[in-house]
Amino acid sequence: MPTTELDRLPGLGPLYLRAAATTPLRRTDPSRARLPDTEYVRSEITVDRQHLAEYNRICGFDNRDELPLTYPHITAFPLAVTLMTDPGFPFPLVGLVHVANSITRHEPLSVTDSLTQRVRLSGLRAHPKGTQFDVVTETLVDERTVWTETSTYLRRGTGDPQAPGTSELAEPETTEPTARWKLPRDLGRRYATVSGDRNPIHLSAVTAKAFGFPRAIAHGMWSAARCLAAFAGRLPRSCTVDVEFAKPVLLPSRVEFTEEAGEQPGRRLFALRSSSGKAHLRGSLRTL
C-alpha cells in the first residue's frame, strides 16, 4: 500500500471546497467503484490543551491529562477527509452516512504524548441500501499501536437486498434512564467548530432542510462521546467500544441515556433514546 507522509495538518476548508467542486464527477457505478489504496500518515502530533478543554466541555468529559476515548478521532479526521476527497475516491463526500464506529484502546493516551496516526480506506462492500466502506485509523505512541478505530460509512443508492446490513447491537432492556440531557439548538455548530466536521446537516435548520431533515441533527460522534463521558471514572484501561447510529437526533431535543450490564462478563450495553423510546444510538463497551 502506498504511504503518503504529511508534515502538517490538511486544511479542511480547501478540502470541503474540493469536495463541493468535484461532486458532479463522483457518480461511479457501485459495481465498478474502487477505493484509493493510499495510506496517509502524520507524525509528531501534539494535543492543544485549549482545544482539548473545549472538546471536553462540549462532550461532557472531565478535564484530565488522559485523553477521552473518542478524542483521537478528532485529530485523525482531516486525514480521513483527505482520503475521501482524493481524485480516485468514487463517492461525493456530502451525503455519506456514518452508520457505525468501533474503537479499541489498548492503553490510555496522555495529553503529553506525541502521536502518530495512520489512516486508510478498506472494506468496500454491498449493503441493502447502497454501498458501505470503512475508514481505518491507527494511533501509535513510540511505535506502539495503542488506539484503533473503524468508522463505517454508507453511500445510499441501489443496494443488494441479499447483502448483510449494519448489524444491530443489543440494547439495554431497561427503559429507566440513567440520565436525561437537554441538547441546545446550536450543538451541531459548536461541535463542528471543535471537530472540523462541518457537514451542512449539522449546522442549521436551513442547511439541513436542503438534505431532507426538518432541523439540524447532532453529530453521531458527539452522541458517542457524550455517552462515553457518562462512564466517567469507570472506563477500563483496555477496552473496545462499538456504536451504531440509528435515528438522527434533531436539534434542539431531549434525550435519555440508559446503560446496564450485558450478558457476557466485562460488557456494558448502553443506548441513547428519545423520550418515546426510539433508539438514536446503540452501544457496547467491552473490557479487553
Side-chain angles (χ1 to χ4, degrees), residues 57 100 116 239:
R57 187 177 69 83
T116 295
C239 60

Side-chain angles (χ1 to χ4, degrees), residues 102-178:
S102 179
I103 291 173
T104 294
R105 181 177 73 180
H106 299 286
E107 61 184 76
L109 289 163
S110 170
V111 68
T112 58
D113 285 331
S114 177
L115 311 178
T116 295
Q117 292 193 300
R118 313 179 72 92
V119 183
R120 65 184 185 276
L121 304 176
S122 72
L124 188 68
R125 58 201 183 274
H127 182 278
K129 296 182 179 180
T131 306
Q132 284 189 128
F133 67 93
D134 299 321
V135 179
V136 180
T137 302
E138 296 177 68
T139 299
L140 300 87
V141 176
D142 296 330
E143 300 184 355
R144 305 187 321 276
T145 299
V146 297
W147 185 97
T148 60
E149 176 190 46
T150 299
S151 297
T152 301
Y153 288 85
L154 172 66
R155 168 60 178 171
R156 294 187 184 276
T158 302
D160 180 355
Q162 305 303 316
T166 305
S167 62
E168 292 194 3
L169 293 171
E171 290 185 44
E173 293 184 0
T174 179
T175 57
E176 185 61 30
T178 307

Side-chain angles (χ1 to χ4, degrees), residues 3 6 17 30 32 36 41 45 60 75-76 89 110 115 124 180 185-186 197 200 226-228 236 241 258-259 284 288:
T3 297
L6 303 178
L17 289 174
R32 298 181 180 180
V41 180
I45 302 169
T75 55
F89 185 70
S110 170
L115 311 178
L124 188 68
R180 292 183 174 90
R185 186 181 308 276
D186 66 347
D197 185 354
R226 186 63 188 90
C227 289
L228 291 172
V241 175
T258 304
E259 63 157 302
S284 168
L288 297 181

Side-chain angles (χ1 to χ4, degrees), residues 200-201 204-216:
I201 62 177
S204 71
V206 172
T207 55
K209 284 178 181 177
F211 294 90
F213 295 96
R215 304 196 300 274

